[in-house]
Amino acid sequence: MERREDFVTHKELYEHTDRIKRELQRDISVVSQNVSNLEKVVLPMVVSLEAIKENTGEMTSTMKEFVKEQKEHREKLHTHDISINELQRDDDVKLEKEKGKWNLMGIITTAVVGGGWIMDKFGSALSAIFFKK
């Protein structure tokens, strides 16, 4: 009897199908175990990542507030620096005026005292020169 190899028998088809089902079930079982392992690892990570996200958001708002406070503080310091410089300049001007006043008083005092001494020593000779007496 001649056998044809172009056809598959019902039994061969059933065995082949059964073998494929077993392989698929084994693969599904392995994947299921891998997924459950992933759930054990990934789910805690998700919770942790959510906490990190919240903390990062809080840090952002905190940093914005800090930068705002620093900017205000720098502006106040700048204003104080300008005021101090203006006061220093005013003090320098007052000091120079005071020095000038004392220099003028020194000159006048020297002139009066020196003039008195000159007049006392050379008064008669000077009056003779200027007034020809």
Side-chain angles (χ1 to χ4, degrees):
M1 179 169 197
E2 203 177 304
R3 184 160 184 195
R4 292 184 69 160
E5 299 207 11
D6 293 347
F7 297 99
V8 178
T9 63
H10 186 60
K11 181 182 174 188
E12 289 173 342
L13 181 62
Y14 178 74
E15 288 173 355
H16 182 70
T17 305
D18 194 40
R19 186 171 36 88
I20 290 175
K21 280 182 187 178
R22 278 181 287 168
E23 287 176 9
L24 280 174
Q25 285 176 350
R26 191 171 3 120
D27 290 344
I28 289 172
S29 165
V30 169
V31 169
S32 177
Q33 287 176 352
N34 290 341
V35 167
S36 68
N37 287 339
L38 278 175
E39 286 176 353
K40 291 176 187 174
V41 173
V42 171
L43 287 179
M45 287 176 60
V46 169
V47 173
S48 175
L49 290 174
E50 286 293 324
I52 290 172
K53 177 183 171 188
E54 289 177 24
N55 289 340
T56 304
E58 291 175 11
M59 284 178 61
T60 301
S61 62
T62 303
M63 286 301 290
K64 284 181 182 177
E65 291 173 15
F66 177 75
V67 168
K68 181 180 176 186
E69 290 173 2
Q70 288 297 312
K71 182 178 178 185
E72 291 172 358
H73 184 69
R74 275 194 312 267
E75 288 173 358
K76 286 180 182 177
L77 285 176
H78 182 67
T79 303
H80 288 290
D81 285 344
I82 289 173
S83 298
I84 289 171
N85 288 339
E86 288 175 357
L87 288 173
Q88 182 66 37
R89 272 187 257 133
D90 290 347
D91 287 347
D92 291 344
V93 168
K94 286 178 185 176
L95 184 64
E96 289 299 320
K97 284 182 180 179
E98 197 68 29
K99 282 182 183 178
K101 182 169 68 173
W102 283 107
N103 284 341
L104 182 63
M105 291 179 85
I107 291 169
I108 291 172
T109 304
T110 303
V112 168
V113 171
W117 180 78
I118 290 173
M119 291 306 283
D120 193 34
K121 291 284 186 190
F122 303 106
S124 56
L126 286 173
S127 73
I129 292 172
F130 286 111
F131 300 112
K132 309 255 190 226
K133 286 190 182 183

